[in-house]
Amino acid sequence: MSAVTMDATVGKPTGQASAWRTVRVLAWRSLRKVTRTRQLVFFSLVQPIVFLALFSQVFRSIKDTPGFPEGITYIDHLVPAILITSIATYSTQSGISMATDLTSGVMDRFRSLPIPRAAVPLARSVADLARSSVQTVAMIIVSMLLFGFRFHGNLAETLGVLVVAAVFGWSLSWLYIAIGTATRNVEVTQMAGFLVNFPLMFASSAFVPSRNLPDWLEGFTGINPLSLAVDASRSLALGWPWGDDVLRAAIAAALVAILGMVGVFFADRASARQG
């Protein structure tokens, strides 16, 4: 088989690389870097637990408001949102890692290899997809054990929550990869990630019912990709009718992914011309 033999760090070519092999090797490289940084793994797991503990207490009175669904505890209402918002936070690491590779010279070494250029950002997104999926499962387990969260839907709907979170995180990672590729600066990518995430998270239906928001803000939640992902995740987790919510979330995720991929393409071309 025509392929490149690469070491675990950056790789040394011995032939023409297949796209699949390149993505697999580079994705594994990214995952190894994460698993070797124990502090990153620890805080990635602790952060959503802290959010869940705080928000479940700060916003618990919302369950008494007229717009809150009956027969649902606030923790069951909140956990699907925390899953999605945590995934959005993790996705910023995609852009930060890409900016780090660009500034450290690793990307220049990749570009000197006979591998498809698109394989590098694709591998990054695949690695972050695997990482976020593991973290989502861990959060669900902790939520059930420590906070009494439970699913109201069947097994297929429970698995659907994981799929929605994974697809949303994968699509959003492309947006941050584009930002990291364009800025080539870790600090700027971090600031841009905060500016994107903050309105997506709090101008959404994640923590309060959208009908309780001001009219202009409620209108924004209808097109907010994070809000659409939260609605789909929540409908699946609570056993509500979910067809329309999942469809809207899938369309939003596809649009975000396409936007990010186009951004990566043009940012990479601009970077190549400057190089």
Side-chain angles (χ1 to χ4, degrees), residues 42-188:
F42 174 77
F43 287 111
S44 295
L45 293 174
V46 169
Q47 177 180 305
I49 296 173
V50 172
F51 282 174
L52 190 57
L54 289 175
F55 290 155
S56 64
Q57 300 303 310
V58 173
F59 295 111
R60 64 187 303 177
S61 61
I62 292 174
K63 66 182 180 61
D64 299 322
T65 60
F68 194 82
E70 297 181 0
I72 300 296
T73 64
Y74 186 66
I75 196 67
D76 288 353
H77 187 267
L78 179 64
V79 167
I82 292 294
L83 296 178
I84 300 299
T85 55
S86 297
I87 289 294
T89 302
Y90 298 151
S91 298
T92 61
Q93 292 298 319
S94 301
I96 293 171
S97 298
M98 181 61 70
T100 300
D101 285 347
L102 284 164
T103 55
S104 66
V106 172
M107 286 296 296
D108 293 332
R109 299 177 69 182
F110 285 155
R111 287 168 178 166
S112 69
L113 301 174
I115 61 176
R117 293 178 69 92
V120 178
L122 180 58
R124 168 66 57 188
S125 70
V126 170
D128 290 332
L129 171 63
R131 183 185 67 172
S132 63
S133 297
V134 172
Q135 290 171 329
T136 299
V137 173
M139 282 189 292
I140 290 175
I141 294 173
V142 171
S143 299
M144 297 177 73
L145 294 178
L146 297 184
F147 297 94
F149 168 73
R150 66 183 183 89
F151 288 98
H152 296 251
N154 55 37
L155 178 60
E157 290 169 336
T158 299
L159 295 176
V161 173
L162 301 178
V163 173
V164 168
V167 171
F168 173 72
W170 181 80
S171 67
L172 199 59
S173 69
W174 277 103
L175 185 62
Y176 293 118
I177 290 172
I179 293 173
T181 304
T183 63
R184 303 172 63 91
N185 184 287
V186 174
E187 290 78 10
V188 175

Side-chain angles (χ1 to χ4, degrees), residues 18-36:
S18 69
W20 164 243
R21 180 174 175 82
T22 302
V23 170
R24 181 165 58 86
V25 172
L26 294 182
W28 178 242
R29 166 189 173 269
S30 299
L31 287 173
R32 288 187 65 183
K33 289 177 63 178
V34 171
T35 56
R36 287 175 176 176

Side-chain angles (χ1 to χ4, degrees), residues 160-261:
V161 173
L162 301 178
V163 173
V164 168
V167 171
F168 173 72
W170 181 80
S171 67
L172 199 59
S173 69
W174 277 103
L175 185 62
Y176 293 118
I177 290 172
I179 293 173
T181 304
T183 63
R184 303 172 63 91
N185 184 287
V186 174
E187 290 78 10
V188 175
T189 303
Q190 287 176 322
M191 293 178 63
F194 174 80
L195 289 177
V196 172
N197 265 345
F198 191 81
L200 288 180
M201 289 173 58
F202 291 100
S204 72
S205 58
F207 307 114
V208 298
S210 58
R211 69 188 67 177
N212 290 351
L213 298 173
D215 292 341
W216 65 272
L217 202 54
E218 182 180 358
F220 176 73
T221 63
I223 59 174
N224 181 347
L226 187 144
S227 188
L228 295 175
V230 167
D231 291 344
S233 177
R234 185 172 283 149
S235 295
L236 288 163
L238 299 180
W240 294 343
W242 47 264
D244 291 342
D245 290 334
V246 170
L247 177 60
R248 284 192 289 265
I251 293 173
L255 293 176
V256 170
I258 292 171
L259 176 63
M261 291 175 186

